[in-house]
Each structure stands twice: as C-alpha cells, then as structure tokens.
Amino acid sequence: MKNRQWKRVVLKVGSSLIAPDRKGCSSRYLLHIAKFILQCRDLEIQVILVSSGSVAAGAHFFGNIEKPTVAIKKAMAAAGQNEMMASWNRFFDFPSAQILLTHGDLQDKERYDSIRETIFALLEHGILPVINENDTVTTDALKVGDNDNLSAMVAAAADADALIICSDVDGLYDKNPHTCKDATMIKEVCNIDEAIYAMAGGAMEDGVGTGGMQTKIEAAEKATSHGIRTYIVNGFKESSFELLMNGTNPGTVFTAYDLPMQENLHWMTHTSKAQGELVIESNFDHPIDEHSEQFTSDEIVEVRGNFSEGDIILVSTEDGKHFAKAKANYSSSLLNFITTQEGDEDSNEFRHQTGPIISDENIAVLEQEEQWETDT
C-alpha cells in the first residue's frame, strides 16, 4: 500500500450508507467499508469512524411518519443509535467505543481537550472510536448540524493524517452529476475558494442524510488547514476503497496546507463559535496578529452580544469586515461600561490602566472575510 505514511485516518460514513431504506441498518454498503477499516488496522493505521445514521436506523420503530416532529426525531436517534453500533460491531472482532458529541462539547476548550485525550487513549488500546453527533440531546444552539463538518473537527482534534468523506457521487464535479450529463469531476483541489464552493449544491431533496457537497467542502477546508489531506469518494462503490488501499485517488483529493495552522488557532477559527462581537474603527491599521497589545478599549466602537471573560468573540471593523476571532480578556458588560462612559474621569483612568482586550497568542486572523455565526 502506497499510503503507509498514514498513521491515523478519520472515515466519515453517512446515513444513506447505514440505513439506505430507513428500515433499520443494512450491511449492503457497509461490508466493503468494514473491510477497508480492517485492512487499515492490519497495516497499523489507526482508524476513527464518524458514523451518521442513528435517526435513519431508528425511524422504522415509529411507523410511517411523513413529517416527524423534533421530539420524534430525537427519539428515533435514541432508538437507532444502539442499532447502528450493533451493526458496526458485528463486522469486527475488536472492541469499539461510542462517543456522542455536540458542538457545545467541541467549542468549550477544556471539553475539547478532554475529547482529544479520550480518542488518543482509545486508539492506544486498539479500540475503534465510533463518533456521532448527539442528536438526542442537542439543540439548535449546540449542534454541528452535519457529520461532514463534525468529521473535520474530529480529524483536527485527533491529529489525523487523512480524512475520507463518503459521498453518493465519485467526487466533486463542476456541475451536479445527477442532473448534468456533461459534468466533469475535479480530481484534485489545491485551493478552496469561491469557485470551488460555487460547484457545490445542498443536500439532495430525496436523500436520507443532512449534508451535501457544500458541507463536504466546508469540512475539507477545515481539515486541510490543519494539514490533513482530505478525500471525497463514492462510498457506495467497493472500488473506491480498493483504490485507496493501493494509494490511488478514487475521487477528489484536497491537498493539505504546507504550513498547517497551530492547534489552538485552528480550534479558534474552525471549531469555536463566537459568543459576541467587537466592532472597532475602520481605520485601525495595526498588524493585529503581531502587535495586538496595542488593541485597547480606545479603538472599540461597539460591543455586540453578551460574553464573559475567556469567551471567543468576533472582531470586525465599522465597514463590516470580519478579520479575526479571539479570546476576550474582558466581559461584554465591562467593555460596554468602558466604551459608553467617554469623558468620565474614572472611566478614562481605567481605559488607560487596563491591559489589552485581546492578546496576540489568543487571536486567529481570518485569511478571508467570513460571515461567522454568533450567538447574539
């Protein structure tokens, strides 16, 4: 195998592969995926499985409900998760472990580090981590929403060498291959830009899963910036995994950054969710990544949202440019007091005695303008 340089791989398998007919789990497409996992382990390549499918696997327990409520979907996930784990376990003669996550777990740095430690401990003892979003308890504010992006966050947390995302098509096409006969597959992507995103569509209307090519590209962008080579392959074809084992790209490969982002900055940029926003002067011209000690309350125009000391916030200019995510050294309440008491003697003294609002080691400068979601 030419991919012996892989030491750790994250494999993402979607609902349509687990339960294609929403009538419980099926081995129809899982046999060749399980074989690939076994072959990797035989070559001492550690595998982490990110597996969707709990809702689809549990749907048949609830009859033919055309439009299930949120509560019913959560119940389907609870019932289907056991069935999904049992389905995977029957293929293997080694132990597996279930890890259910929410975005709330990943965006809290202490819990994020705890997840890393758990994954490493499982792998060290030869146990297969099987990870899924915890659909039973998650809320809109705490959910990742799709397992493509979850798999990229897991790959970053686990310091993986490769991320393999299974799709229902062979890879990324310049047009929708389901509707355009002249669609051409892109074999390699070296830079994920607007043109690449323009090729992606949403989830198929009649599909079982929640993701589409859009979320797969988002996942690839997260993973490659951490130095993780990312593949989109057709999970329905056994040949996809045979080619991977032979070191051949069966779909679309996204090349990894030559200089990956530091772990803390990657987490801040791609995993954490901004709890609020600082708006600063548009003419702020300091190189904020190198001299952020100069960034004080004097430059603040507006404080948006409610956040505490230590929360991740978005930093924007008055003209709407989003250029950084950072760890706040002060709460929104304190910053609001400082900025709204202009001219007050005590406030002015405090403004000049306090340290920086953010510190240079706790800021991630955005390479391109992003519309980061906040909880405001």
Short mmCIF file of all heavy atoms in Angstrom, two decimals, residues 264-316:
data_model
loop_
_atom_site.label_atom_id
_atom_site.label_comp_id
_atom_site.label_asym_id
_atom_site.label_seq_id
_atom_site.Cartn_x
_atom_site.Cartn_y
_atom_site.Cartn_z
N ASN A 264 -4.22 25.56 18.58
CA ASN A 264 -5.09 26.48 19.29
C ASN A 264 -5.79 27.44 18.32
O ASN A 264 -6.99 27.73 18.46
CB ASN A 264 -4.29 27.28 20.33
CG ASN A 264 -5.18 28.17 21.18
OD1 ASN A 264 -6.14 27.70 21.78
ND2 ASN A 264 -4.87 29.46 21.22
N LEU A 265 -5.05 27.95 17.32
CA LEU A 265 -5.63 28.87 16.36
C LEU A 265 -6.62 28.17 15.44
O LEU A 265 -7.63 28.75 15.04
CB LEU A 265 -4.52 29.55 15.54
CG LEU A 265 -3.54 30.42 16.32
CD1 LEU A 265 -2.57 31.11 15.38
CD2 LEU A 265 -4.29 31.45 17.16
N HIS A 266 -6.34 26.91 15.10
CA HIS A 266 -7.27 26.14 14.27
C HIS A 266 -8.58 25.92 15.02
O HIS A 266 -9.67 26.07 14.45
CB HIS A 266 -6.66 24.80 13.88
CG HIS A 266 -7.49 24.04 12.89
ND1 HIS A 266 -8.55 23.23 13.27
CD2 HIS A 266 -7.45 23.98 11.53
CE1 HIS A 266 -9.10 22.71 12.20
NE2 HIS A 266 -8.47 23.13 11.14
N TRP A 267 -8.48 25.55 16.29
CA TRP A 267 -9.69 25.36 17.09
C TRP A 267 -10.50 26.65 17.14
O TRP A 267 -11.72 26.65 16.99
CB TRP A 267 -9.32 24.90 18.50
CG TRP A 267 -10.47 24.93 19.44
CD1 TRP A 267 -11.44 23.97 19.59
CD2 TRP A 267 -10.81 25.99 20.36
NE1 TRP A 267 -12.36 24.38 20.53
CE2 TRP A 267 -12.01 25.60 21.01
CE3 TRP A 267 -10.24 27.21 20.68
CZ2 TRP A 267 -12.62 26.40 21.98
CZ3 TRP A 267 -10.83 28.01 21.63
CH2 TRP A 267 -12.02 27.60 22.27
N MET A 268 -9.81 27.76 17.36
CA MET A 268 -10.48 29.05 17.47
C MET A 268 -11.17 29.43 16.16
O MET A 268 -12.30 29.92 16.15
CB MET A 268 -9.45 30.13 17.86
CG MET A 268 -10.06 31.41 18.38
SD MET A 268 -8.78 32.59 18.87
CE MET A 268 -7.98 31.68 20.21
N THR A 269 -10.51 29.16 15.03
CA THR A 269 -11.02 29.55 13.72
C THR A 269 -12.15 28.65 13.25
O THR A 269 -13.19 29.13 12.79
CB THR A 269 -9.89 29.53 12.68
OG1 THR A 269 -8.83 30.39 13.11
CG2 THR A 269 -10.39 30.00 11.32
N HIS A 270 -11.95 27.33 13.36
CA HIS A 270 -12.84 26.39 12.68
C HIS A 270 -13.78 25.61 13.60
O HIS A 270 -14.68 24.93 13.11
CB HIS A 270 -12.01 25.39 11.86
CG HIS A 270 -11.33 26.02 10.68
ND1 HIS A 270 -12.02 26.55 9.62
CD2 HIS A 270 -10.01 26.19 10.40
CE1 HIS A 270 -11.17 27.02 8.73
NE2 HIS A 270 -9.95 26.82 9.18
N THR A 271 -13.58 25.64 14.90
CA THR A 271 -14.42 24.85 15.79
C THR A 271 -15.23 25.71 16.75
O THR A 271 -16.41 25.47 16.97
CB THR A 271 -13.56 23.85 16.59
OG1 THR A 271 -12.86 23.00 15.66
CG2 THR A 271 -14.43 22.98 17.49
N SER A 272 -14.59 26.71 17.34
CA SER A 272 -15.30 27.55 18.31
C SER A 272 -16.35 28.41 17.62
O SER A 272 -16.24 28.74 16.44
CB SER A 272 -14.31 28.45 19.05
OG SER A 272 -13.77 29.42 18.18
N LYS A 273 -17.38 28.77 18.37
CA LYS A 273 -18.42 29.67 17.88
C LYS A 273 -18.31 30.99 18.64
O LYS A 273 -18.22 31.00 19.86
CB LYS A 273 -19.81 29.07 18.08
CG LYS A 273 -20.94 29.96 17.58
CD LYS A 273 -22.30 29.35 17.89
CE LYS A 273 -22.60 28.17 17.01
NZ LYS A 273 -23.99 27.69 17.21
N ALA A 274 -18.32 32.10 17.90
CA ALA A 274 -18.21 33.41 18.53
C ALA A 274 -19.43 33.70 19.41
O ALA A 274 -20.56 33.53 18.97
CB ALA A 274 -18.05 34.50 17.48
N GLN A 275 -19.17 34.12 20.63
CA GLN A 275 -20.24 34.42 21.57
C GLN A 275 -20.69 35.88 21.52
O GLN A 275 -21.67 36.26 22.14
CB GLN A 275 -19.78 34.09 23.00
CG GLN A 275 -19.31 32.66 23.18
CD GLN A 275 -20.41 31.66 22.88
OE1 GLN A 275 -21.50 31.75 23.44
NE2 GLN A 275 -20.14 30.72 22.01
N GLY A 276 -19.95 36.68 20.79
CA GLY A 276 -20.28 38.10 20.66
C GLY A 276 -19.35 38.74 19.66
O GLY A 276 -18.59 38.05 18.97
N GLU A 277 -19.38 40.05 19.59
CA GLU A 277 -18.61 40.74 18.56
C GLU A 277 -18.12 42.10 19.07
O GLU A 277 -18.84 42.81 19.76
CB GLU A 277 -19.48 40.94 17.33
CG GLU A 277 -18.78 41.57 16.14
CD GLU A 277 -19.67 41.64 14.92
OE1 GLU A 277 -20.83 41.18 15.01
OE2 GLU A 277 -19.22 42.18 13.89
N LEU A 278 -16.88 42.41 18.73
CA LEU A 278 -16.31 43.73 18.98
C LEU A 278 -16.20 44.45 17.64
O LEU A 278 -15.61 43.91 16.69
CB LEU A 278 -14.92 43.64 19.60
CG LEU A 278 -14.80 43.35 21.10
CD1 LEU A 278 -13.35 43.50 21.52
CD2 LEU A 278 -15.69 44.27 21.92
N VAL A 279 -16.76 45.63 17.55
CA VAL A 279 -16.62 46.46 16.36
C VAL A 279 -15.61 47.54 16.67
O VAL A 279 -15.75 48.28 17.66
CB VAL A 279 -17.97 47.08 15.96
CG1 VAL A 279 -17.80 47.93 14.69
CG2 VAL A 279 -19.01 46.00 15.73
N ILE A 280 -14.58 47.63 15.83
CA ILE A 280 -13.53 48.62 16.06
C ILE A 280 -13.48 49.58 14.88
O ILE A 280 -14.13 49.39 13.86
CB ILE A 280 -12.16 47.95 16.28
CG1 ILE A 280 -11.77 47.13 15.06
CG2 ILE A 280 -12.20 47.08 17.52
CD1 ILE A 280 -10.37 46.55 15.15
N GLU A 281 -12.66 50.61 15.02
CA GLU A 281 -12.58 51.65 14.00
C GLU A 281 -12.11 51.07 12.66
O GLU A 281 -11.21 50.23 12.61
CB GLU A 281 -11.60 52.74 14.44
CG GLU A 281 -12.03 53.44 15.73
CD GLU A 281 -10.95 54.34 16.29
OE1 GLU A 281 -9.78 54.21 15.84
OE2 GLU A 281 -11.25 55.16 17.18
N SER A 282 -12.71 51.55 11.57
CA SER A 282 -12.34 51.07 10.25
C SER A 282 -10.92 51.43 9.87
O SER A 282 -10.28 50.74 9.07
CB SER A 282 -13.30 51.63 9.19
OG SER A 282 -14.59 51.10 9.37
N ASN A 283 -10.39 52.51 10.45
CA ASN A 283 -9.03 52.93 10.12
C ASN A 283 -7.99 52.30 11.04
O ASN A 283 -6.83 52.72 11.06
CB ASN A 283 -8.90 54.45 10.16
CG ASN A 283 -9.21 55.02 11.55
OD1 ASN A 283 -9.59 54.28 12.46
ND2 ASN A 283 -9.06 56.33 11.72
N PHE A 284 -8.40 51.29 11.81
CA PHE A 284 -7.45 50.58 12.66
C PHE A 284 -6.41 49.89 11.76
O PHE A 284 -6.75 49.04 10.94
CB PHE A 284 -8.18 49.54 13.51
CG PHE A 284 -7.27 48.77 14.45
CD1 PHE A 284 -6.88 49.34 15.64
CD2 PHE A 284 -6.84 47.49 14.13
CE1 PHE A 284 -6.05 48.63 16.52
CE2 PHE A 284 -6.02 46.80 14.99
CZ PHE A 284 -5.62 47.37 16.19
N ASP A 285 -5.15 50.30 11.88
CA ASP A 285 -4.15 49.85 10.91
C ASP A 285 -3.00 49.07 11.54
O ASP A 285 -1.99 48.83 10.90
CB ASP A 285 -3.59 51.04 10.13
CG ASP A 285 -2.96 52.09 11.04
OD1 ASP A 285 -2.98 51.89 12.26
OD2 ASP A 285 -2.46 53.10 10.50
N HIS A 286 -3.14 48.66 12.79
CA HIS A 286 -2.08 47.87 13.42
C HIS A 286 -2.13 46.44 12.89
O HIS A 286 -3.21 45.89 12.68
CB HIS A 286 -2.23 47.83 14.94
CG HIS A 286 -2.20 49.18 15.58
ND1 HIS A 286 -1.26 50.12 15.28
CD2 HIS A 286 -3.03 49.74 16.51
CE1 HIS A 286 -1.50 51.21 16.00
NE2 HIS A 286 -2.56 51.00 16.75
N PRO A 287 -0.99 45.80 12.68
CA PRO A 287 -0.99 44.36 12.32
C PRO A 287 -1.40 43.55 13.54
O PRO A 287 -0.57 43.19 14.38
CB PRO A 287 0.47 44.10 11.91
CG PRO A 287 1.26 45.16 12.59
CD PRO A 287 0.37 46.36 12.70
N ILE A 288 -2.67 43.27 13.64
CA ILE A 288 -3.24 42.78 14.90
C ILE A 288 -2.66 41.44 15.34
O ILE A 288 -2.65 41.10 16.50
CB ILE A 288 -4.77 42.70 14.78
CG1 ILE A 288 -5.41 42.60 16.17
CG2 ILE A 288 -5.20 41.57 13.89
CD1 ILE A 288 -6.90 42.83 16.15
N ASP A 289 -2.17 40.65 14.40
CA ASP A 289 -1.60 39.36 14.78
C ASP A 289 -0.22 39.50 15.41
O ASP A 289 0.24 38.62 16.11
CB ASP A 289 -1.52 38.43 13.57
CG ASP A 289 -0.74 39.04 12.42
OD1 ASP A 289 -0.72 40.27 12.32
OD2 ASP A 289 -0.16 38.26 11.63
N GLU A 290 0.45 40.63 15.20
CA GLU A 290 1.80 40.80 15.72
C GLU A 290 1.87 41.81 16.86
O GLU A 290 2.73 41.74 17.71
CB GLU A 290 2.73 41.26 14.59
CG GLU A 290 2.85 40.23 13.46
CD GLU A 290 3.69 40.76 12.32
OE1 GLU A 290 4.26 41.87 12.47
OE2 GLU A 290 3.77 40.09 11.28
N HIS A 291 0.97 42.81 16.85
CA HIS A 291 1.05 43.88 17.84
C HIS A 291 -0.31 44.11 18.50
O HIS A 291 -0.72 45.24 18.68
CB HIS A 291 1.53 45.17 17.17
CG HIS A 291 2.84 45.05 16.50
ND1 HIS A 291 4.03 44.92 17.18
CD2 HIS A 291 3.16 45.00 15.19
CE1 HIS A 291 5.03 44.82 16.32
NE2 HIS A 291 4.53 44.86 15.11
N SER A 292 -1.00 43.01 18.84
CA SER A 292 -2.35 43.18 19.38
C SER A 292 -2.34 43.80 20.78
O SER A 292 -3.38 44.17 21.29
CB SER A 292 -3.08 41.84 19.42
OG SER A 292 -2.36 40.89 20.15
N GLU A 293 -1.15 43.91 21.40
CA GLU A 293 -1.10 44.63 22.67
C GLU A 293 -1.56 46.08 22.51
O GLU A 293 -2.00 46.72 23.46
CB GLU A 293 0.34 44.63 23.24
CG GLU A 293 0.83 43.29 23.73
CD GLU A 293 1.48 42.48 22.63
OE1 GLU A 293 1.35 42.88 21.45
OE2 GLU A 293 2.12 41.46 22.93
N GLN A 294 -1.47 46.61 21.28
CA GLN A 294 -1.88 47.98 21.03
C GLN A 294 -3.40 48.09 20.89
O GLN A 294 -3.93 49.19 20.85
CB GLN A 294 -1.22 48.49 19.75
CG GLN A 294 0.30 48.50 19.81
CD GLN A 294 0.91 48.99 18.51
OE1 GLN A 294 0.28 49.71 17.76
NE2 GLN A 294 2.14 48.59 18.25
N PHE A 295 -4.08 46.96 20.78
CA PHE A 295 -5.52 46.98 20.62
C PHE A 295 -6.17 47.09 22.00
O PHE A 295 -6.20 46.14 22.77
CB PHE A 295 -5.98 45.71 19.90
CG PHE A 295 -7.47 45.59 19.76
CD1 PHE A 295 -8.19 46.58 19.10
CD2 PHE A 295 -8.15 44.51 20.28
CE1 PHE A 295 -9.55 46.48 18.97
CE2 PHE A 295 -9.51 44.40 20.16
CZ PHE A 295 -10.22 45.40 19.49
N THR A 296 -6.64 48.28 22.35
CA THR A 296 -7.24 48.53 23.66
C THR A 296 -8.65 49.07 23.48
O THR A 296 -9.17 49.16 22.36
CB THR A 296 -6.40 49.53 24.46
OG1 THR A 296 -6.45 50.80 23.78
CG2 THR A 296 -4.95 49.07 24.58
N SER A 297 -9.27 49.45 24.59
CA SER A 297 -10.65 49.94 24.55
C SER A 297 -10.79 51.23 23.76
O SER A 297 -11.88 51.60 23.34
CB SER A 297 -11.16 50.14 25.97
OG SER A 297 -10.30 51.01 26.68
N ASP A 298 -9.68 51.94 23.53
CA ASP A 298 -9.75 53.19 22.77
C ASP A 298 -10.25 52.97 21.35
O ASP A 298 -10.83 53.87 20.75
CB ASP A 298 -8.37 53.86 22.71
CG ASP A 298 -7.96 54.41 24.07
OD1 ASP A 298 -8.84 54.85 24.83
OD2 ASP A 298 -6.76 54.39 24.37
N GLU A 299 -9.98 51.80 20.78
CA GLU A 299 -10.36 51.54 19.40
C GLU A 299 -11.78 50.97 19.27
O GLU A 299 -12.28 50.80 18.16
CB GLU A 299 -9.38 50.56 18.75
CG GLU A 299 -8.03 51.16 18.36
CD GLU A 299 -7.05 51.16 19.51
OE1 GLU A 299 -7.21 50.34 20.43
OE2 GLU A 299 -6.14 51.99 19.50
N ILE A 300 -12.44 50.65 20.38
CA ILE A 300 -13.75 50.00 20.32
C ILE A 300 -14.84 51.00 19.96
O ILE A 300 -14.95 52.06 20.56
CB ILE A 300 -14.09 49.33 21.67
CG1 ILE A 300 -13.09 48.23 21.98
CG2 ILE A 300 -15.51 48.74 21.62
CD1 ILE A 300 -13.30 47.60 23.33
N VAL A 301 -15.64 50.64 18.97
CA VAL A 301 -16.78 51.46 18.56
C VAL A 301 -18.07 50.93 19.17
O VAL A 301 -18.93 51.68 19.62
CB VAL A 301 -16.90 51.48 17.02
CG1 VAL A 301 -18.17 52.21 16.59
CG2 VAL A 301 -15.67 52.13 16.40
N GLU A 302 -18.20 49.59 19.21
CA GLU A 302 -19.43 48.97 19.69
C GLU A 302 -19.14 47.58 20.22
O GLU A 302 -18.25 46.88 19.71
CB GLU A 302 -20.46 48.90 18.56
CG GLU A 302 -21.82 48.36 18.97
CD GLU A 302 -22.79 48.25 17.79
OE1 GLU A 302 -22.40 48.64 16.66
OE2 GLU A 302 -23.91 47.76 18.00
N VAL A 303 -19.87 47.18 21.24
CA VAL A 303 -19.80 45.82 21.78
C VAL A 303 -21.15 45.15 21.53
O VAL A 303 -22.18 45.65 21.95
CB VAL A 303 -19.50 45.82 23.29
CG1 VAL A 303 -19.42 44.39 23.83
CG2 VAL A 303 -18.20 46.57 23.57
N ARG A 304 -21.14 44.02 20.83
CA ARG A 304 -22.38 43.34 20.48
C ARG A 304 -22.46 41.99 21.18
O ARG A 304 -21.49 41.23 21.18
CB ARG A 304 -22.48 43.14 18.97
CG ARG A 304 -22.56 44.44 18.17
CD ARG A 304 -22.51 44.19 16.68
NE ARG A 304 -22.58 45.43 15.91
CZ ARG A 304 -22.38 45.52 14.60
NH1 ARG A 304 -22.10 44.42 13.90
NH2 ARG A 304 -22.47 46.69 13.99
N GLY A 305 -23.63 41.67 21.72
CA GLY A 305 -23.84 40.38 22.35
C GLY A 305 -23.39 40.37 23.80
O GLY A 305 -22.85 41.35 24.32
N ASN A 306 -23.62 39.24 24.44
CA ASN A 306 -23.22 39.05 25.83
C ASN A 306 -22.17 37.96 25.92
O ASN A 306 -22.42 36.82 25.51
CB ASN A 306 -24.44 38.66 26.68
CG ASN A 306 -25.49 39.75 26.72
OD1 ASN A 306 -25.18 40.91 26.97
ND2 ASN A 306 -26.74 39.39 26.45
N PHE A 307 -21.01 38.30 26.41
CA PHE A 307 -19.95 37.30 26.54
C PHE A 307 -19.18 37.54 27.83
O PHE A 307 -19.19 38.64 28.40
CB PHE A 307 -19.02 37.31 25.33
CG PHE A 307 -18.43 38.65 24.97
CD1 PHE A 307 -17.26 39.09 25.55
CD2 PHE A 307 -19.06 39.46 24.04
CE1 PHE A 307 -16.71 40.33 25.22
CE2 PHE A 307 -18.53 40.70 23.69
CZ PHE A 307 -17.35 41.14 24.28
N SER A 308 -18.51 36.50 28.27
CA SER A 308 -17.74 36.55 29.51
C SER A 308 -16.25 36.57 29.21
O SER A 308 -15.83 36.29 28.08
CB SER A 308 -18.06 35.32 30.38
OG SER A 308 -19.45 35.24 30.65
N GLU A 309 -15.48 36.90 30.20
CA GLU A 309 -14.03 36.82 30.05
C GLU A 309 -13.64 35.39 29.68
O GLU A 309 -14.11 34.42 30.28
CB GLU A 309 -13.36 37.21 31.38
CG GLU A 309 -11.84 37.09 31.36
CD GLU A 309 -11.24 37.35 32.72
OE1 GLU A 309 -11.95 37.88 33.61
OE2 GLU A 309 -10.05 37.02 32.91
N GLY A 310 -12.84 35.24 28.66
CA GLY A 310 -12.40 33.92 28.21
C GLY A 310 -13.22 33.38 27.06
O GLY A 310 -12.82 32.38 26.44
N ASP A 311 -14.36 34.01 26.71
CA ASP A 311 -15.17 33.56 25.58
C ASP A 311 -14.50 33.95 24.26
O ASP A 311 -13.71 34.90 24.19
CB ASP A 311 -16.56 34.18 25.62
CG ASP A 311 -17.49 33.49 26.60
OD1 ASP A 311 -17.13 32.40 27.09
OD2 ASP A 311 -18.56 34.04 26.90
N ILE A 312 -14.86 33.21 23.21
CA ILE A 312 -14.38 33.54 21.87
C ILE A 312 -15.32 34.58 21.26
O ILE A 312 -16.53 34.44 21.32
CB ILE A 312 -14.33 32.29 20.98
CG1 ILE A 312 -13.39 31.23 21.60
CG2 ILE A 312 -13.85 32.65 19.57
CD1 ILE A 312 -11.97 31.70 21.82
N ILE A 313 -14.73 35.61 20.66
CA ILE A 313 -15.52 36.68 20.07
C ILE A 313 -15.03 36.95 18.64
O ILE A 313 -13.92 36.58 18.26
CB ILE A 313 -15.43 37.99 20.89
CG1 ILE A 313 -13.97 38.43 21.04
CG2 ILE A 313 -16.10 37.81 22.25
CD1 ILE A 313 -13.80 39.78 21.71
N LEU A 314 -15.88 37.60 17.86
CA LEU A 314 -15.54 38.04 16.52
C LEU A 314 -15.09 39.49 16.58
O LEU A 314 -15.67 40.29 17.32
CB LEU A 314 -16.78 37.91 15.63
CG LEU A 314 -16.67 38.35 14.17
CD1 LEU A 314 -15.71 37.44 13.42
CD2 LEU A 314 -18.05 38.31 13.52
N VAL A 315 -14.05 39.82 15.84
CA VAL A 315 -13.57 41.20 15.78
C VAL A 315 -13.83 41.72 14.36
O VAL A 315 -13.38 41.11 13.38
CB VAL A 315 -12.07 41.30 16.10
CG1 VAL A 315 -11.61 42.75 16.07
CG2 VAL A 315 -11.78 40.69 17.47
N SER A 316 -14.58 42.81 14.27
CA SER A 316 -14.95 43.39 12.98
C SER A 316 -14.66 44.88 12.97
O SER A 316 -14.51 45.51 14.02
CB SER A 316 -16.44 43.17 12.69
OG SER A 316 -16.78 41.81 12.79
#
